[in-house]
Amino acid sequence: MAIDVNLGDANGQVSSNIYGQFIEHALDCIEGGIYAPGSVYADDDGIRKDVVGLVQRFAPSVLRFPGGTIMCQYHWKDAVGAKENRVWRKNLIWGGELSPEFGTAEFIRLCRKIGAEPMLCINMASGTPEEAGDWVEYCNGTGNSYYARLRRSHGFEEPFHVKYWCIGNESYSEPDMGIHHNVDCYIRDAMEFIKRMKLTDGSIKTVVVGCGEKNWNNAVLRKLHAVTDYFSLHYYASTKQGRVYEPFEGERQFQEMIEEISGCINEYPDKVQDFNPWYRFAPRQDKIKIAVDEWNIWNYENNDTYGLKPVYCWRDALWSASMLNLFIRTPAIGMANMAQMVNVIAPVMADEKGAWLQTIAYPLIYYRRLMTGERVDVRFDSPVIEGTGQIEALSVAAVRNLGKLCVAVVNRDFGRNYTMRLSGYADGSGEGDVTVLTGDGWDAVCSRDKSCVKETNIRIADGEIEVPAGSICLAVMYEK
């Protein structure tokens, strides 16, 4: 029996910013993974060409840096200018030393190589509003001000045009350094940081810290809604217990969290009108969007590496594709950044012998190519995976783009195939092509020498798609 999937009306544009990534000075994410001067893989800027080549396959729209938790101690002035004059510090967060060799300029070069918009996270914990404003000036200044001239003296005549700025990172987290675990303290200081930064460049977009606590979220939005463009939310699934479907168990709670935050955001106008002109910068001009600017599967462990070096299996790729479907379906989400891009809970792995893709990279590659455009409403009743209680077997999202209707179907059930009948979309012809991605088993992993991911292609007839167990199917239907 076929499962009917009703494709409704278009419902706004899916932001390409949901295909973002994140890098941090954690273990060998940057040093050795991305930046390795002297390596046979390094280009003239010290950035690994093999890594860049793989990252370009999934073309991140946004790249977030330098943290993450490391921002609690990150001072941008340590890592600009001549390498011999840069400041080394002990890495208080992830161990070892915090290398200044990969700093602002190197990050911007990497963004240009992979075609990503840069996104910087400022240090609220041990930094100051003045330091943050100076960073904005260094990156975006065009006149004769000190830090604009400093950037030019470092060899960068044109501004970096950094649009996105995170105002802290997980400030609610009591174990992290800083004084902002109290929401009133965070709000007070965040406003001062935003003032300084917006007065330096009024065009920047700010991202304030949200979390799973309703009281925190309500307070932050109430006080800062007029001066922020994005509301941050982080989400990590877990596989600690080793159950096949464990990563999917928190999906419903995460959706409920997003719905709750969306409701809070909807209490405020899409465009701020009454704003005190004595602030001397313009208020928010568009509706606040949620930025899921850290997401992935991460098994926290109390050891030296904190569980940051997982090997991802095919099941994890299905979870990643399901997350992308959620981002596509949800109008409130305007940005998402998978954490982290290389070596640390990452889609790309790299060592001295070369680089390769983990399973979670494959949904990014295919979705980035096909799943952008106008969001199409999707309605269907999914069966539940037997023995799981409430985990839905199927995840579906759809977009319309350049005369094509693209439908992504993820079958998370490793024990059953399904047939899906697409209907209700007036311009669909009912015919097209489907790319089917499968693994060598739910626990299959990729290595430097061998990919465990298989691609096959089938035709759609009369709007029906055969969806194999444990698969990702991307259907492209052409308009009449």
Short mmCIF file of all heavy atoms in Angstrom, two decimals, residues 292-331:
data_model
loop_
_atom_site.label_atom_id
_atom_site.label_comp_id
_atom_site.label_asym_id
_atom_site.label_seq_id
_atom_site.Cartn_x
_atom_site.Cartn_y
_atom_site.Cartn_z
N VAL A 292 20.29 27.73 13.90
CA VAL A 292 20.77 26.52 14.58
C VAL A 292 22.26 26.43 14.25
O VAL A 292 22.69 25.63 13.41
CB VAL A 292 20.00 25.26 14.11
CG1 VAL A 292 20.37 24.05 14.97
CG2 VAL A 292 18.50 25.49 14.16
N ASP A 293 23.05 27.28 14.91
CA ASP A 293 24.42 27.47 14.44
C ASP A 293 25.43 26.48 15.01
O ASP A 293 26.63 26.64 14.81
CB ASP A 293 24.89 28.92 14.62
CG ASP A 293 24.70 29.48 16.00
OD1 ASP A 293 24.43 28.69 16.92
OD2 ASP A 293 24.81 30.71 16.16
N GLU A 294 24.94 25.46 15.69
CA GLU A 294 25.70 24.23 15.96
C GLU A 294 24.72 23.07 15.98
O GLU A 294 23.73 23.11 16.73
CB GLU A 294 26.45 24.30 17.30
CG GLU A 294 27.63 25.26 17.33
CD GLU A 294 28.41 25.15 18.64
OE1 GLU A 294 28.45 24.04 19.22
OE2 GLU A 294 28.99 26.17 19.06
N TRP A 295 24.98 22.06 15.17
CA TRP A 295 24.16 20.85 15.20
C TRP A 295 24.97 19.66 14.69
O TRP A 295 25.78 19.80 13.80
CB TRP A 295 22.86 21.01 14.40
CG TRP A 295 23.04 21.12 12.91
CD1 TRP A 295 23.28 22.24 12.18
CD2 TRP A 295 22.96 20.05 11.95
NE1 TRP A 295 23.37 21.96 10.84
CE2 TRP A 295 23.17 20.62 10.66
CE3 TRP A 295 22.72 18.68 12.03
CZ2 TRP A 295 23.16 19.86 9.48
CZ3 TRP A 295 22.71 17.92 10.86
CH2 TRP A 295 22.92 18.52 9.61
N ASN A 296 24.75 18.52 15.26
CA ASN A 296 25.38 17.28 14.79
C ASN A 296 25.06 16.18 15.80
O ASN A 296 24.35 16.41 16.78
CB ASN A 296 26.89 17.44 14.64
CG ASN A 296 27.46 16.50 13.56
OD1 ASN A 296 26.89 15.44 13.28
ND2 ASN A 296 28.56 16.89 12.97
N ILE A 297 25.62 15.00 15.57
CA ILE A 297 25.61 13.91 16.55
C ILE A 297 26.93 13.99 17.31
O ILE A 297 28.00 14.00 16.72
CB ILE A 297 25.48 12.53 15.88
CG1 ILE A 297 24.11 12.40 15.19
CG2 ILE A 297 25.66 11.42 16.89
CD1 ILE A 297 23.95 11.11 14.41
N TRP A 298 26.83 14.08 18.63
CA TRP A 298 28.03 14.20 19.45
C TRP A 298 27.81 13.44 20.75
O TRP A 298 26.92 13.77 21.53
CB TRP A 298 28.33 15.68 19.73
CG TRP A 298 29.53 15.94 20.57
CD1 TRP A 298 30.50 15.06 20.96
CD2 TRP A 298 29.89 17.20 21.16
NE1 TRP A 298 31.45 15.68 21.73
CE2 TRP A 298 31.11 17.00 21.87
CE3 TRP A 298 29.32 18.48 21.16
CZ2 TRP A 298 31.75 18.02 22.57
CZ3 TRP A 298 29.95 19.49 21.86
CH2 TRP A 298 31.15 19.27 22.54
N ASN A 299 28.64 12.45 20.99
CA ASN A 299 28.59 11.69 22.24
C ASN A 299 29.60 12.29 23.21
O ASN A 299 30.79 12.01 23.14
CB ASN A 299 28.92 10.21 21.98
CG ASN A 299 27.89 9.57 21.09
OD1 ASN A 299 26.71 9.89 21.15
ND2 ASN A 299 28.34 8.66 20.23
N TYR A 300 29.13 13.14 24.11
CA TYR A 300 30.02 13.75 25.09
C TYR A 300 30.66 12.66 25.96
O TYR A 300 29.98 11.76 26.43
CB TYR A 300 29.25 14.70 26.01
CG TYR A 300 28.33 15.66 25.32
CD1 TYR A 300 27.01 15.31 25.07
CD2 TYR A 300 28.78 16.92 24.93
CE1 TYR A 300 26.15 16.20 24.45
CE2 TYR A 300 27.92 17.81 24.30
CZ TYR A 300 26.60 17.45 24.08
OH TYR A 300 25.76 18.33 23.46
N GLU A 301 31.95 12.76 26.17
CA GLU A 301 32.65 11.81 27.03
C GLU A 301 33.60 12.55 27.95
O GLU A 301 34.17 13.59 27.58
CB GLU A 301 33.44 10.81 26.17
CG GLU A 301 32.56 9.92 25.29
CD GLU A 301 33.38 9.00 24.40
OE1 GLU A 301 34.61 8.98 24.57
OE2 GLU A 301 32.80 8.31 23.55
N ASN A 302 33.76 12.03 29.14
CA ASN A 302 34.67 12.64 30.12
C ASN A 302 36.08 12.09 29.93
O ASN A 302 36.60 11.33 30.73
CB ASN A 302 34.17 12.38 31.54
CG ASN A 302 32.86 13.07 31.81
OD1 ASN A 302 32.65 14.20 31.39
ND2 ASN A 302 31.98 12.40 32.52
N ASN A 303 36.69 12.49 28.80
CA ASN A 303 38.07 12.09 28.56
C ASN A 303 38.80 13.26 27.89
O ASN A 303 38.23 14.35 27.74
CB ASN A 303 38.13 10.83 27.68
CG ASN A 303 37.41 10.99 26.36
OD1 ASN A 303 37.32 12.09 25.81
ND2 ASN A 303 36.88 9.90 25.83
N ASP A 304 40.02 13.03 27.48
CA ASP A 304 40.84 14.12 26.97
C ASP A 304 40.31 14.71 25.66
O ASP A 304 40.61 15.86 25.35
CB ASP A 304 42.29 13.65 26.75
CG ASP A 304 43.01 13.39 28.06
OD1 ASP A 304 42.52 13.88 29.10
OD2 ASP A 304 44.03 12.69 28.06
N THR A 305 39.56 13.92 24.91
CA THR A 305 39.05 14.42 23.63
C THR A 305 37.55 14.70 23.65
O THR A 305 36.98 15.08 22.64
CB THR A 305 39.37 13.43 22.49
OG1 THR A 305 38.74 12.17 22.77
CG2 THR A 305 40.86 13.24 22.33
N TYR A 306 36.89 14.50 24.78
CA TYR A 306 35.47 14.86 24.94
C TYR A 306 34.56 14.22 23.88
O TYR A 306 33.53 14.78 23.54
CB TYR A 306 35.31 16.38 24.92
CG TYR A 306 36.05 17.09 26.01
CD1 TYR A 306 37.32 17.61 25.76
CD2 TYR A 306 35.52 17.22 27.28
CE1 TYR A 306 38.04 18.26 26.77
CE2 TYR A 306 36.22 17.87 28.30
CZ TYR A 306 37.49 18.38 28.02
OH TYR A 306 38.20 19.01 29.02
N GLY A 307 34.95 13.09 23.35
CA GLY A 307 34.13 12.44 22.33
C GLY A 307 34.10 13.17 21.01
O GLY A 307 33.17 12.98 20.22
N LEU A 308 35.12 13.98 20.73
CA LEU A 308 35.11 14.83 19.53
C LEU A 308 35.59 14.12 18.27
O LEU A 308 35.65 14.75 17.20
CB LEU A 308 35.98 16.07 19.76
CG LEU A 308 35.46 17.07 20.79
CD1 LEU A 308 36.54 18.10 21.13
CD2 LEU A 308 34.22 17.78 20.26
N LYS A 309 35.95 12.83 18.36
CA LYS A 309 36.52 12.13 17.20
C LYS A 309 35.66 10.93 16.80
O LYS A 309 36.17 9.81 16.68
CB LYS A 309 37.94 11.68 17.53
CG LYS A 309 38.88 12.80 17.96
CD LYS A 309 39.21 13.76 16.83
CE LYS A 309 40.13 13.15 15.83
NZ LYS A 309 40.53 14.14 14.80
N PRO A 310 34.37 11.10 16.54
CA PRO A 310 33.54 9.95 16.18
C PRO A 310 33.76 9.51 14.74
O PRO A 310 34.15 10.30 13.87
CB PRO A 310 32.12 10.49 16.36
CG PRO A 310 32.25 11.94 16.03
CD PRO A 310 33.59 12.36 16.57
N VAL A 311 33.49 8.23 14.51
CA VAL A 311 33.40 7.71 13.15
C VAL A 311 31.91 7.54 12.86
O VAL A 311 31.21 6.78 13.53
CB VAL A 311 34.14 6.36 13.02
CG1 VAL A 311 33.94 5.78 11.62
CG2 VAL A 311 35.62 6.53 13.33
N TYR A 312 31.42 8.26 11.87
CA TYR A 312 29.98 8.27 11.59
C TYR A 312 29.60 7.12 10.66
O TYR A 312 30.33 6.79 9.72
CB TYR A 312 29.57 9.60 10.97
CG TYR A 312 29.60 10.75 11.94
CD1 TYR A 312 30.53 11.78 11.81
CD2 TYR A 312 28.71 10.81 13.00
CE1 TYR A 312 30.56 12.84 12.71
CE2 TYR A 312 28.73 11.85 13.91
CZ TYR A 312 29.67 12.87 13.76
OH TYR A 312 29.70 13.90 14.65
N CYS A 313 28.45 6.52 10.95
CA CYS A 313 27.95 5.41 10.13
C CYS A 313 26.80 5.88 9.24
O CYS A 313 26.37 7.04 9.30
CB CYS A 313 27.51 4.26 11.02
SG CYS A 313 26.08 4.62 12.07
N TRP A 314 26.29 4.96 8.42
CA TRP A 314 25.25 5.33 7.47
C TRP A 314 23.97 5.80 8.18
O TRP A 314 23.30 6.72 7.74
CB TRP A 314 24.93 4.17 6.53
CG TRP A 314 23.83 4.49 5.56
CD1 TRP A 314 22.63 3.88 5.43
CD2 TRP A 314 23.85 5.55 4.60
NE1 TRP A 314 21.88 4.48 4.45
CE2 TRP A 314 22.60 5.51 3.92
CE3 TRP A 314 24.77 6.53 4.24
CZ2 TRP A 314 22.27 6.41 2.90
CZ3 TRP A 314 24.44 7.43 3.23
CH2 TRP A 314 23.20 7.35 2.58
N ARG A 315 23.65 5.18 9.32
CA ARG A 315 22.51 5.65 10.10
C ARG A 315 22.62 7.13 10.42
O ARG A 315 21.63 7.87 10.39
CB ARG A 315 22.43 4.81 11.39
CG ARG A 315 21.29 5.13 12.36
CD ARG A 315 21.63 6.22 13.37
NE ARG A 315 22.96 6.16 13.91
CZ ARG A 315 23.34 5.36 14.92
NH1 ARG A 315 22.47 4.58 15.50
NH2 ARG A 315 24.60 5.39 15.36
N ASP A 316 23.83 7.60 10.70
CA ASP A 316 24.05 9.00 11.04
C ASP A 316 23.79 9.91 9.84
O ASP A 316 23.35 11.06 10.00
CB ASP A 316 25.46 9.21 11.57
CG ASP A 316 25.76 8.34 12.78
OD1 ASP A 316 24.81 8.01 13.52
OD2 ASP A 316 26.93 7.97 12.98
N ALA A 317 24.05 9.40 8.65
CA ALA A 317 23.74 10.17 7.44
C ALA A 317 22.23 10.35 7.29
O ALA A 317 21.76 11.43 6.88
CB ALA A 317 24.31 9.48 6.20
N LEU A 318 21.46 9.31 7.62
CA LEU A 318 20.00 9.43 7.56
C LEU A 318 19.51 10.46 8.58
O LEU A 318 18.59 11.23 8.30
CB LEU A 318 19.35 8.08 7.84
CG LEU A 318 19.68 6.92 6.89
CD1 LEU A 318 18.83 5.70 7.24
CD2 LEU A 318 19.48 7.30 5.44
N TRP A 319 20.14 10.49 9.76
CA TRP A 319 19.78 11.50 10.76
C TRP A 319 20.09 12.91 10.24
O TRP A 319 19.28 13.83 10.38
CB TRP A 319 20.53 11.23 12.06
CG TRP A 319 20.22 12.24 13.12
CD1 TRP A 319 19.18 12.23 14.00
CD2 TRP A 319 20.96 13.43 13.41
NE1 TRP A 319 19.22 13.34 14.82
CE2 TRP A 319 20.31 14.09 14.47
CE3 TRP A 319 22.11 14.00 12.88
CZ2 TRP A 319 20.77 15.29 15.01
CZ3 TRP A 319 22.58 15.19 13.40
CH2 TRP A 319 21.91 15.82 14.46
N SER A 320 21.26 13.08 9.62
CA SER A 320 21.64 14.39 9.09
C SER A 320 20.67 14.84 8.00
O SER A 320 20.27 16.02 7.96
CB SER A 320 23.06 14.34 8.52
OG SER A 320 24.00 14.05 9.53
N ALA A 321 20.28 13.93 7.12
CA ALA A 321 19.31 14.27 6.08
C ALA A 321 17.97 14.64 6.69
O ALA A 321 17.29 15.57 6.21
CB ALA A 321 19.16 13.11 5.10
N SER A 322 17.57 13.95 7.75
CA SER A 322 16.32 14.28 8.43
C SER A 322 16.37 15.68 9.03
O SER A 322 15.38 16.42 9.02
CB SER A 322 16.02 13.25 9.52
OG SER A 322 15.91 11.95 8.99
N MET A 323 17.52 16.05 9.59
CA MET A 323 17.69 17.39 10.12
C MET A 323 17.57 18.43 9.01
O MET A 323 16.91 19.48 9.18
CB MET A 323 19.04 17.51 10.82
CG MET A 323 19.11 16.78 12.15
SD MET A 323 18.13 17.56 13.46
CE MET A 323 19.13 19.00 13.81
N LEU A 324 18.19 18.17 7.88
CA LEU A 324 18.07 19.11 6.75
C LEU A 324 16.62 19.23 6.31
O LEU A 324 16.15 20.33 5.98
CB LEU A 324 18.96 18.64 5.60
CG LEU A 324 20.47 18.71 5.84
CD1 LEU A 324 21.23 18.11 4.66
CD2 LEU A 324 20.94 20.14 6.09
N ASN A 325 15.89 18.12 6.30
CA ASN A 325 14.46 18.19 5.97
C ASN A 325 13.72 19.09 6.95
O ASN A 325 12.85 19.88 6.56
CB ASN A 325 13.84 16.79 5.99
CG ASN A 325 14.11 16.00 4.72
OD1 ASN A 325 14.67 16.53 3.76
ND2 ASN A 325 13.73 14.75 4.72
N LEU A 326 14.04 18.97 8.23
CA LEU A 326 13.41 19.81 9.24
C LEU A 326 13.72 21.28 8.99
O LEU A 326 12.82 22.13 9.06
CB LEU A 326 13.88 19.39 10.63
CG LEU A 326 13.44 20.26 11.80
CD1 LEU A 326 11.92 20.28 11.92
CD2 LEU A 326 14.08 19.77 13.10
N PHE A 327 14.97 21.61 8.69
CA PHE A 327 15.34 22.99 8.42
C PHE A 327 14.59 23.53 7.20
O PHE A 327 14.15 24.68 7.20
CB PHE A 327 16.85 23.11 8.19
CG PHE A 327 17.70 22.66 9.34
CD1 PHE A 327 19.00 22.22 9.12
CD2 PHE A 327 17.23 22.67 10.64
CE1 PHE A 327 19.81 21.80 10.16
CE2 PHE A 327 18.02 22.25 11.71
CZ PHE A 327 19.32 21.81 11.46
N ILE A 328 14.47 22.70 6.18
CA ILE A 328 13.77 23.12 4.95
C ILE A 328 12.29 23.38 5.23
O ILE A 328 11.72 24.36 4.76
CB ILE A 328 13.95 22.06 3.86
CG1 ILE A 328 15.41 22.03 3.37
CG2 ILE A 328 13.01 22.32 2.67
CD1 ILE A 328 15.74 20.82 2.53
N ARG A 329 11.67 22.51 6.01
CA ARG A 329 10.22 22.62 6.26
C ARG A 329 9.86 23.79 7.17
O ARG A 329 8.70 24.21 7.19
CB ARG A 329 9.70 21.33 6.91
CG ARG A 329 9.71 20.11 6.02
CD ARG A 329 8.84 19.02 6.65
NE ARG A 329 9.20 18.74 8.03
CZ ARG A 329 10.02 17.77 8.43
NH1 ARG A 329 10.58 16.99 7.52
NH2 ARG A 329 10.28 17.57 9.71
N THR A 330 10.81 24.30 7.94
CA THR A 330 10.50 25.23 9.01
C THR A 330 10.81 26.66 8.60
O THR A 330 11.99 27.06 8.55
CB THR A 330 11.30 24.87 10.27
OG1 THR A 330 11.10 23.48 10.58
CG2 THR A 330 10.86 25.72 11.45
N PRO A 331 9.80 27.49 8.34
CA PRO A 331 10.05 28.87 7.90
C PRO A 331 10.84 29.69 8.92
O PRO A 331 11.54 30.63 8.54
CB PRO A 331 8.64 29.44 7.71
CG PRO A 331 7.77 28.25 7.47
CD PRO A 331 8.36 27.16 8.30
#
